[in-house]
Amino acid sequence: MATTACFIIVSRNDIPIYEAEVGSTVKREDAAHLHQFILHAAQDIVQDLAWTTSAMFLKAIDRFNDLVVSVYVTAGHTRFMLLHDSRNDDGIKSFFQEVHELYIKTLLNPLYLPGSRITSSHFDTKVRALARKYL
Amino acid sequence: EMMGVTYFMLNHSRKEAEYCMENAFNTYLKNVPAGHQNATRCGLWWIEMLKARDQYKEAASVYFHISGEESLHSAVMLEQASYCYLYSKPPMLRKYGFHLVLSGNQYKKCDQIKHAIRTYQRAISVFKGTTWSYIKDHVHFHVGQWYAFLGLYDAAVVHMLEVLMCAHQSKTTQELFLKNFLHFVQKAGKACEVLKLPLPIINASSLKVVFEDHRTYASPAAIGVRESLWRSFEEEVIPSLPTARTNWLEVQSKPISRKRKESNVCIVGEAIQVDVEFKNPLQISIPLTNVSLICELFERSDEAQTDASTSSELQNNEHINLTAERLMNFDKSSFALSDVDCTLESGSTTMVKLTVTPREEGILNIVGVKWRLSGSVVGCYNFLTTTMKKTATRKKKQKRSFTDNLKFEVIKSLPKLEGLIHTLPEKVYAGELRHLTLELSNMSEAAVKNLKMKISHPRFLNIGKAEHLKDIVVRKDSPLSWPLWFHAAVPGNISLYIVLYYEIEDAESFMKYRTLRMFYNLEVLPAIDVSFQISPLPSTLQKFLVRMDVASRTSLEDFQIHQLSSLGSQWEISLIDTLFHPPLLMSAQAFTCFLMLKRCEKPKGSDEVSSLTPCIGGDVKLSPNDDGESLYDISLSPLSDFHNCERLHQEKPSQGDSDTVDFVLISRRVHSESGSGVSYSPCLLSNHACHCSISSSSPISWAVEGPREIHHNFSASFCEVSLRMTLYNSSDAVASLRVNTLDSNQSGFLLSDSSAVLPTNQEGWYNVSLESEIKVTSDVRGTILNSLSSESIRPIIWSGSSSTKLQLEPSSTVQIPLQVCIFCPGTYDLSNYVVQWNLQWPIDQGNEETRPNSGTCPGYPYYITVLPSS
């Protein structure tokens, strides 16, 4: 189980539509800022890397000290970015795939505007449960 | 290290060079004690090599590795790393920004504030407009703090403004931000300046303006009613605008300029109320003080100027600055503003009511609203700028855009009536009658005249002689009290709309008339239900049996029935049992009472008598005699007016029976101990039951008249008795009737107890010899029929026509003669006849199945006693 993990879903316009701290440590204010900064900066790398491969799971694309950024890109270029300090690649891949399914279900909701924030508490609960399971 | 450099200089085998440099670098860092400087040097070489080959990304990562622990050193390195990211192709702006932030942090750690600010400022440009809220807040907050540290409070305030709207942060962070902001503002000395604060959020679409021009409102409830509803209600009362040109004989009214027609009009000295919604998105509560409107009042000669400035394309910024400047040196004496203090709780939305009262004539513009946040900062919000953007995008100019609501033309003072109906209860019982007073007071110097009043529910409210209102003039010191009668006719929630129209005596004013709109909402609770069933008494034409069922529908009050009155074409009503008095109607109970209704004779020559004039005996007192109350006269107003309304509202039964009677039941509420929320006063209730039909199931009714007791000398001849049968057709159709007198089924009996069996089904002629066969003795009891048992005759036969056929027009009567011959004394029942009726409905009327078409009615008992005369 990762001690630190920050999961953000970013739309293709670089707008974060979902954020969650899914690590097991207590959330700290400045840590939250730092995580956002790291993930935000990692987007530069993702942007280029996404076009070079047809795979969705891009593994670890960036590092900062001991934190690793793993990214999963969907067909609509929505990025699932996970900041973590563990090395559990398979677990992370399964996590991303499950979250992708959840995201598709959210997209199927006709009342959901793609690119807007995901506010469903059901989604939030499920993501956290998946994080506990796989990470 | 040297190998790497030389490989580079040779410009071949890149990989080797890099490998060497990396090796050297790592060795320096790990193995060499205090080799940091060497590592730095090595790294810088490496970086230059990479840069020369345009590998900026790798260079940046090397810079990052170099950065190490010491703050200044790492700060510089990180900054260089950020520039490398910037130079890389494509430029990695986010990395650039991130590393700038990191370096700034390091600068701060070694107290190089200015450098920190410098790097952060550069980073701001990257993060401008980002939706990554934590990032933005972090950057702005820290820059703001550092500026404040340096003493540049103005810049600090600018940055803190950016982080004020931080609903996503935790509560402590919000408090921290706000506290810092206020502190900086204080230090910057900007407490008296007006800023465009984003906090609290003002919902411009919630703006509601209430003003009074020729439409005035008596209460806030009246304001809440839709304008279209008031307009359609007032249509009859307000004189319509003359569309034709007036000729020179009539006084010319001032030409109404086009501008005047479009803008709203308000009166000097009367308040305009503006309602605005304030929202607090944070988790902390915000105290607001001195919330008031920002207004401008121009003289009317400035009209041309304002036209030019507002109709052209005005820069939004200019207008804001204009307002800010104007606010400081504003002449506030031409209008009075209200000041409101409120505290917005976390996440709450409050509707703030502000008023402005103009004191001079001119053009009044409501520009915006200003408030003081937490006692230190003054913020303002401009209504016009936000809407200008909206109107610019619309192609079609809408009739009344948002900003039009905020422009007023102030005209000179006019009188205004204030009206109130005292004592209008909020909850009443159905049927309650109350006397109310409408109080009108005129607070201004000028008088008003020519009053007209219109009420939406005349069924509920009666204003008496409305014509007299026209002649009244209401002046300042003479308030008018007009009596009103209130009758709660039906249970439910009732909304009463009242419009009072009045004209101003001063003929020069722009506005000739005003209307006062009053609105009251009340709840009528069910109290007494009364129903009537009327059936004609058999064998009579003019008498009817009335069954009155009274039930109490409320469980909280007791009622005492006082009187029942009947209205309509001369009815007389009385109790069948004169000693019976209906009991007190306890809560949720019912009782039944039977009464007799008799049709009075119409006095001769009474064609003009109104059908509602009751004749003597039209009222019956139902309460105990000892309560000392007399009967109420229902022909007087207001009871008669209310009854007329009830007649209109209560539907006539579909059969369209023209013969109906109306009942009015008057009762009184008896004081009960339980408090029911209804204001207690000794009150009367009147229940009106209209259009009670008096027809029976059969449309034909008749009565047989004739002598009941006859003395006859049977020795001379038999007795012939003539009878009259009066038939009445109470339906709407022509009836063809057949009266068959039957000699069979003779149900008469003789006074003797002879065992002679009267034969049945004997018809035809037979010889009756009286003298010999019937011995009449003086002793009636002993009369025996003798020797007639074999061939018995009936002592009474119908001797007139056995079948009479006739046509009877609707609602008309006809008399036919009947004759019987009686041969021996006795008491006979002349009910052996039948009346067959057949109604002929007009063909074009549908629904014939529900109407009775034909029927047969047996005869009523009619006893006639024939005694021998001696």
Side-chain angles (χ1 to χ4, degrees), chain A residues 1 22 95 125 127-135:
Chain A
M1 180 60 190
V22 296
F95 172 71
T125 322
V127 165
R128 288 180 196 274
L130 285 171
R132 276 197 298 276
K133 185 175 159 195
Y134 287 113
L135 297 177

Coordinates of all heavy atoms in Angstrom, one line a residue, chain A residues 1 22 95 125 127-135:
Chain A
M1 N 0.8 -1.2 0.0 CA 0.0 0.0 0.0 C 0.9 1.2 0.0 O 1.7 1.4 0.8 CB -0.9 0.0 1.3 CG -1.8 1.1 1.4 SD -3.0 1.3 0.0 CE -3.7 2.8 0.3
V22 N -5.2 9.5 -2.3 CA -5.6 8.1 -2.0 C -4.5 7.4 -1.2 O -4.5 6.2 -1.1 CB -6.0 7.4 -3.3 CG1 -7.1 8.0 -3.9 CG2 -4.8 7.3 -4.2
F95 N -5.3 -0.7 -11.5 CA -6.1 0.4 -10.9 C -6.5 1.4 -12.0 O -7.7 1.8 -12.1 CB -5.2 1.2 -9.9 CG -5.7 2.5 -9.4 CD1 -6.8 2.5 -8.5 CD2 -5.2 3.7 -9.8 CE1 -7.3 3.7 -8.0 CE2 -5.7 4.8 -9.3 CZ -6.8 4.9 -8.5
T125 N -16.1 7.4 -4.0 CA -16.0 6.2 -3.1 C -15.4 5.0 -3.8 O -14.5 4.3 -3.3 CB -17.4 5.8 -2.6 OG1 -18.2 7.0 -2.3 CG2 -17.4 4.9 -1.3
V127 N -13.4 5.1 -6.4 CA -12.0 5.3 -6.7 C -11.2 5.0 -5.5 O -10.1 4.3 -5.5 CB -11.8 6.7 -7.2 CG1 -10.3 7.1 -7.2 CG2 -12.4 6.8 -8.6
R128 N -11.6 5.5 -4.3 CA -10.9 5.3 -3.1 C -10.8 3.8 -2.8 O -9.8 3.3 -2.3 CB -11.5 6.1 -2.0 CG -11.2 7.5 -2.1 CD -11.8 8.4 -1.0 NE -11.8 9.8 -1.4 CZ -10.8 10.6 -1.3 NH1 -9.7 10.2 -0.7 NH2 -10.9 11.8 -1.7
A129 N -11.9 3.1 -3.0 CA -11.9 1.7 -2.7 C -10.9 0.9 -3.6 O -10.2 0.0 -3.2 CB -13.3 1.1 -2.9
L130 N -10.9 1.3 -4.9 CA -10.0 0.7 -5.8 C -8.5 1.0 -5.4 O -7.7 0.1 -5.6 CB -10.2 1.2 -7.3 CG -11.5 0.7 -7.9 CD1 -11.8 1.5 -9.2 CD2 -11.3 -0.8 -8.3
A131 N -8.3 2.2 -5.0 CA -7.0 2.6 -4.6 C -6.5 1.7 -3.4 O -5.4 1.2 -3.4 CB -6.9 4.0 -4.2
R132 N -7.4 1.5 -2.5 CA -7.1 0.6 -1.3 C -6.8 -0.8 -1.8 O -5.9 -1.5 -1.3 CB -8.2 0.6 -0.3 CG -8.2 1.8 0.6 CD -9.1 1.5 1.8 NE -10.4 1.3 1.4 CZ -11.3 2.3 1.3 NH1 -10.9 3.5 1.4 NH2 -12.5 2.1 0.9
K133 N -7.5 -1.2 -2.8 CA -7.3 -2.6 -3.3 C -6.1 -2.8 -4.0 O -5.3 -3.8 -3.8 CB -8.5 -2.9 -4.1 CG -8.7 -4.3 -4.6 CD -10.0 -4.5 -5.4 CE -9.9 -5.7 -6.2 NZ -11.0 -5.7 -7.2
Y134 N -5.7 -1.8 -4.9 CA -4.6 -2.1 -5.8 C -3.3 -1.5 -5.5 O -2.3 -1.9 -5.9 CB -5.0 -1.6 -7.3 CG -6.0 -2.5 -7.9 CD1 -7.3 -2.1 -8.2 CD2 -5.7 -3.8 -8.3 CE1 -8.2 -2.9 -8.8 CE2 -6.6 -4.7 -8.9 CZ -7.9 -4.2 -9.1 OH -8.8 -5.0 -9.7
L135 N -3.4 -0.4 -4.7 CA -2.2 0.3 -4.5 C -1.5 0.0 -3.2 O -2.2 -0.4 -2.2 CB -2.5 1.9 -4.6 CG -3.0 2.3 -5.9 CD1 -3.3 3.8 -5.8 CD2 -1.9 2.1 -7.0

